[in-house]
């Protein structure tokens, strides 16, 4: 098997795809044969969570020599649940909690594994260069990547976050990060400014412009090494439903996924292509409803205002992973995909052919949830079920409710929960009518007293930890800053 670019017939091994991150033609790497290669999905469901991870990742990335060892090093002792991603029953629904890793957001599932994959790929490909990870973050990716890569041999990591764009908790998590190979820097501007600066750094710092002995890579979900580990928890959820007798083997289950970059939900599609009985994948957007509109109309149009919402990790107008779905739905038509992406860059809009859209709608549905509904949902679920969820999860809960109301005889539904409510204490307290006085750290304590669930380990004592990173730069200084750090 091989990985192929979505924009050309460029083919590479899985280890090379992970080191490159993105293809030189700008495309994303994908396995075009995933649905044709047999996978013992039933056997997989009988394994332990780490056993499932090993089986699934060995299938997706067969070029890695010791996947079992990599999986154990990634997850052993790092998550506060033996199930890795525990499934909770909340009313008639099931909520898959993906936030039990070191930084209390779902990105830990992938970013615990990615450093293992990068270092193993580096050894297998005989690369001597240090791999430096450049990351722009709106809050969650940065901390999860720092946690994954700090003090990992042969790697370095530079994280850029928008000065005024992350929550106090998220900022405290990043600026207190320890590690000899890490650097965290604030950028005056918003997330798009950070992202643009990082893209410019990738473009400027290659070939002779790159200091000898290092190369750049990405920890964003354009890297297939970010996506593959996320396939695992779709199986974990299905196995948990089977064990509880909630479903029969083979019964289709719907998954509702709060998404921005289309990464998390695409991983669910990969699970389906591997045989898991996934029914409909419901794409839940916040007020930035560019994906909902696309799935409804077939027109992807980013020419709209960027809205800052209470679910900031989904505030995205250019959903990079959708490109992989376009490739699959068009039967691998790389010219079509390249043309759509070119139009998106130059005109800000493209239309996807109707017959391919029809294929997409066989597997995907979409819904969106505005700001008021998001907070109302947190309040309702707390009052009715005694379950506290974060703002991103609430978007999916609300979309799930509407989706099911339209299909009374529907299937079992799993809602993916992507962050701990303690990561967004102000919004959550407001939603349940709690006292909003004090800073976010005091609010977190108050929330814990109300919910009677302890604050996750990674968020405890944040305020007392020493601040280690104080650099602040303008977006136009970012390329020079990276060059200085590399040199
Ligand atoms: C990143 C993130 C998402 C969206 O994930 P996608 O990769 O865009 O699908 C949702 N919720 C939280 C809390 C996140 O950090």
């Amino acid at each position: 098997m091989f990985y192929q670019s979505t924009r050309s017939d460029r083919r590479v091994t899985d280890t090379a795809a992970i080191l490159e991150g993105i293809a030189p033609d700008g495309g994303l790497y994908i396995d075009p044969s995933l649905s044709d290669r047999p996978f013992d999905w039933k056997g997989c469901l009988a394994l332990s969570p780490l056993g499932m991870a090993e089986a699934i990742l060995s299938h997706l990335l067969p070029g890695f020599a010791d996947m079992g060892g990599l999986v154990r090093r990634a997850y052993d002792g790092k998550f506060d649940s033996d199930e890795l991603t525990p499934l909770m029953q909340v009313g008639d629904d099931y909520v898959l909690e993906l936030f039990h890793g070191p930084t209390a957001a779902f990105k830990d599932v992938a970013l615990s594994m990615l450093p293992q994959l990068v270092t193993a790929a580096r050894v297998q490909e005989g690369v001597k260069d240090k791999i430096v990870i450049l990351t722009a973050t709106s809050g969650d990716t940065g901390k999860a990547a720092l946690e994954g890569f700090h003090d990992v041999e042969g790697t370095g990591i530079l994280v850029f976050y928008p000065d005024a764009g992350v929550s106090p908790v998220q900022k405290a998590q990043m600026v207190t990060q320890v590690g000899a190979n890490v650097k965290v820097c604030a950028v005056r501007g918003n997330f798009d400014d950070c992202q643009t600066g990082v893209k410019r750094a990738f473009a400027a710092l290659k070939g002779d412009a790159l200091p000898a002995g290092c190369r750049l890579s990405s920890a964003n979900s354009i890297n297939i090494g970010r996506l593959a580990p996320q396939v695992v928890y779709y199986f974990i959820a299905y196995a948990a439903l089977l064990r509880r007798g909630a479903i029969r083997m083979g019964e289709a289950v719907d998954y509702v996924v709060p998404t921005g970059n289309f990464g998390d939900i695409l991983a669910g599609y990969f699970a389906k292509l591997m045989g898991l009985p996934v029914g409909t994948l419901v794409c839940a957007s916040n007020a930035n409803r560019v994906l909902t509109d696309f799935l409804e109309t077939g027109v992807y149009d980013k020419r709209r205002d960027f809205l800052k919402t209470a679910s900031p990790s989904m505030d995205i107008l250019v959903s990079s992973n959708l490109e992989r779905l376009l490739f699959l739905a068009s039967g691998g038509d790389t010219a079509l995909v390249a043309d759509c992406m070119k139009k998106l860059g130059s005109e800000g809009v493209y239309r996807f052919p109707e017959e391919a859209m029809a294929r997409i709608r066989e597997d995907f549905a979409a819904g969106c949830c505005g700001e008021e509904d998001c907070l109302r949902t947190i309040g309702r679920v707390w009052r009715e079920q005694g379950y506290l969820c974060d703002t991103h999860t609430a978007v999916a809960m609300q979309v799930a409710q509407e989706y099911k109301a339209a299909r009374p005889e529907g299937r079992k539904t799993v809602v993916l929960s992507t962050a701990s409510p303690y990561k967004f204490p102000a919004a959550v307290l407001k939603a349940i009518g709690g006292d909003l006085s004090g800073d976010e750290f005091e609010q977190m304590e108050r929330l814990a007293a109300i919910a009677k669930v302890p604050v996750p380990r990674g968020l405890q004592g944040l305020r007392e930890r020493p601040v280690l990173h104080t650099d602040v730069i303008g977006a136009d200084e970012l390329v020079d800053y990276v060059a200085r750090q590399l040199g």
Side-chain angles (χ1 to χ4, degrees):
M1 63 85 70
F2 54 84
Y3 274 81
Q4 185 191 333
S5 167
T6 49
R7 298 192 196 176
S8 74
D9 54 11
R10 179 183 169 81
R11 294 173 174 190
V12 297
T13 61
D14 50 1
T15 42
I18 280 171
L19 287 185
E20 279 184 29
I22 189 163
D25 55 38
L28 308 188
Y29 286 117
I30 187 153
D31 167 12
S33 65
L34 186 58
S35 56
D36 303 328
R37 295 192 292 122
F39 178 68
D40 178 15
W41 62 269
K42 279 187 191 168
C44 180
L45 289 168
L47 303 172
S48 69
L50 295 197
M52 284 189 225
E54 179 181 350
I56 292 163
L57 286 165
S58 300
H59 184 73
L60 291 167
L61 304 166
F64 285 79
D66 175 25
M67 194 58 89
L70 300 182
V71 164
R72 278 191 299 282
R73 278 198 290 285
Y75 296 119
D76 249 359
K78 296 220 189 112
F79 279 60
D80 67 13
S81 165
D82 291 340
E83 294 170 82
L84 211 62
T85 58
L87 186 73
M88 317 299 262
Q89 182 155 10
V90 179
D92 294 335
D93 285 326
Y94 294 89
V95 176
L96 184 64
E97 293 188 347
L98 306 177
F99 54 76
H100 289 269
T103 80
F106 97 101
K107 292 188 172 68
D108 287 327
V109 177
L111 283 163
S112 300
M113 192 66 210
L114 184 65
Q116 301 299 330
L117 296 172
V118 168
T119 45
R122 181 172 168 268
V123 171
Q124 278 182 237
E125 292 274 312
V127 171
K128 295 278 177 290
D129 294 344
K130 178 166 144 186
I131 309 288
V132 179
I133 305 292
L134 280 194
T135 301
T137 183
S138 58
D140 287 340
T141 300
K143 178 59 185 182
L146 287 163
E147 199 54 51
F149 278 97
H150 80 86
D151 298 318
V152 171
E153 209 186 312
T155 73
I157 174 160
L158 281 172
V159 169
F160 296 94
Y161 70 91
D163 199 12
V166 301
S167 78
V169 170
Q170 289 174 318
K171 180 171 174 176
Q173 281 187 296
M174 288 190 278
V175 298
T176 59
Q177 177 67 46
V178 294
N181 63 340
V182 310
K183 193 85 200 169
V184 179
C185 178
V187 175
R188 286 187 288 271
N190 61 24
F191 172 64
D192 276 340
D193 298 321
C194 291
Q195 178 94 304
T196 309
V198 165
K199 279 188 189 153
R200 257 194 238 122
F202 274 115
L205 299 170
K206 54 185 176 195
D208 290 345
L210 204 56
C214 66
R215 54 171 89 178
L216 301 177
S217 190
S218 163
N220 291 100
S221 59
I222 51 177
N223 194 320
I224 192 69
R226 262 286 299 273
L227 227 41
Q230 295 180 214
V231 176
V232 176
Y233 47 71
Y234 285 87
F235 283 78
I236 291 180
Y238 195 90
L241 287 172
L242 274 178
R243 261 200 322 275
R244 290 174 199 191
I247 54 169
R248 285 168 290 101
M249 180 63 100
E251 187 176 332
V253 172
D254 292 340
Y255 291 80
V256 185
V257 189
T259 193
N261 237 334
F262 213 72
D264 202 359
I265 194 165
L266 191 71
Y269 190 52
F270 287 178
K272 186 169 189 173
L273 295 179
M274 288 169 73
L276 188 72
V278 174
T280 302
L281 289 156
V282 184
C283 170
S285 307
N286 66 21
N288 292 292
R289 46 173 293 159
V290 63
L291 283 167
T292 312
D293 291 343
F294 171 72
L295 286 163
E296 280 172 6
T297 64
V299 177
Y300 194 99
D301 190 349
K302 69 163 188 182
R303 299 168 303 173
R304 59 180 82 200
D305 289 337
F306 178 97
L307 304 173
K308 282 188 80 160
T309 74
S311 46
S313 301
M314 291 154 62
D315 290 345
I316 287 173
L317 292 181
V318 178
S319 198
S320 41
N321 265 295
L322 186 64
E323 181 169 346
R324 288 188 165 107
L325 182 64
L326 302 187
F327 174 92
L328 294 170
S330 64
D333 188 341
T334 53
L336 174 67
V337 175
D339 185 52
C340 287
M341 292 304 119
K342 199 168 137 218
K343 285 202 177 104
L344 185 63
S346 59
E347 294 157 39
V349 59
Y350 64 84
R351 174 183 288 280
F352 204 55
E354 194 43 46
E355 50 301 357
M357 283 312 300
R359 243 168 277 144
I360 289 176
R361 291 190 194 106
E362 285 170 19
D363 297 302
F364 292 89
C368 74
C369 167
E371 289 297 273
E372 276 179 30
D373 278 342
C374 170
L375 295 194
R376 209 176 297 136
T377 301
I378 296 175
R380 174 177 59 79
V381 174
W382 170 245
R383 278 191 315 277
E384 292 175 5
Q385 316 291 350
Y387 183 81
L388 205 55
C389 69
D390 97 294
T391 47
H392 302 76
T393 307
V395 165
M397 293 269 224
Q398 173 62 20
V399 169
Q401 203 193 26
E402 281 170 21
Y403 180 77
K404 290 196 334 178
R407 291 163 196 75
E409 299 302 310
R411 309 181 181 112
K412 287 279 183 304
T413 307
V414 173
V415 173
L416 271 55
S417 173
T418 49
S420 158
Y422 298 115
K423 264 200 117 158
F424 304 93
V428 175
L429 265 180
K430 185 173 170 205
I432 63 171
D435 169 10
L436 280 171
S437 61
D439 63 15
E440 272 208 336
F441 301 97
E442 290 164 77
Q443 292 167 351
M444 200 190 286
E445 296 304 327
R446 200 170 306 129
L447 207 49
I450 295 171
K452 300 192 174 60
V453 176
V455 174
R457 231 185 315 161
L459 299 179
Q460 286 170 13
L462 257 186
R463 199 170 20 184
E464 285 75 42
R465 284 182 219 160
V467 171
L468 303 171
H469 305 275
T470 53
D471 290 356
V472 185
I473 59 169
D476 52 345
E477 300 169 72
L478 198 147
V479 178
D480 287 342
Y481 183 90
V482 175
R484 270 204 310 281
Q485 298 298 328
L486 296 176

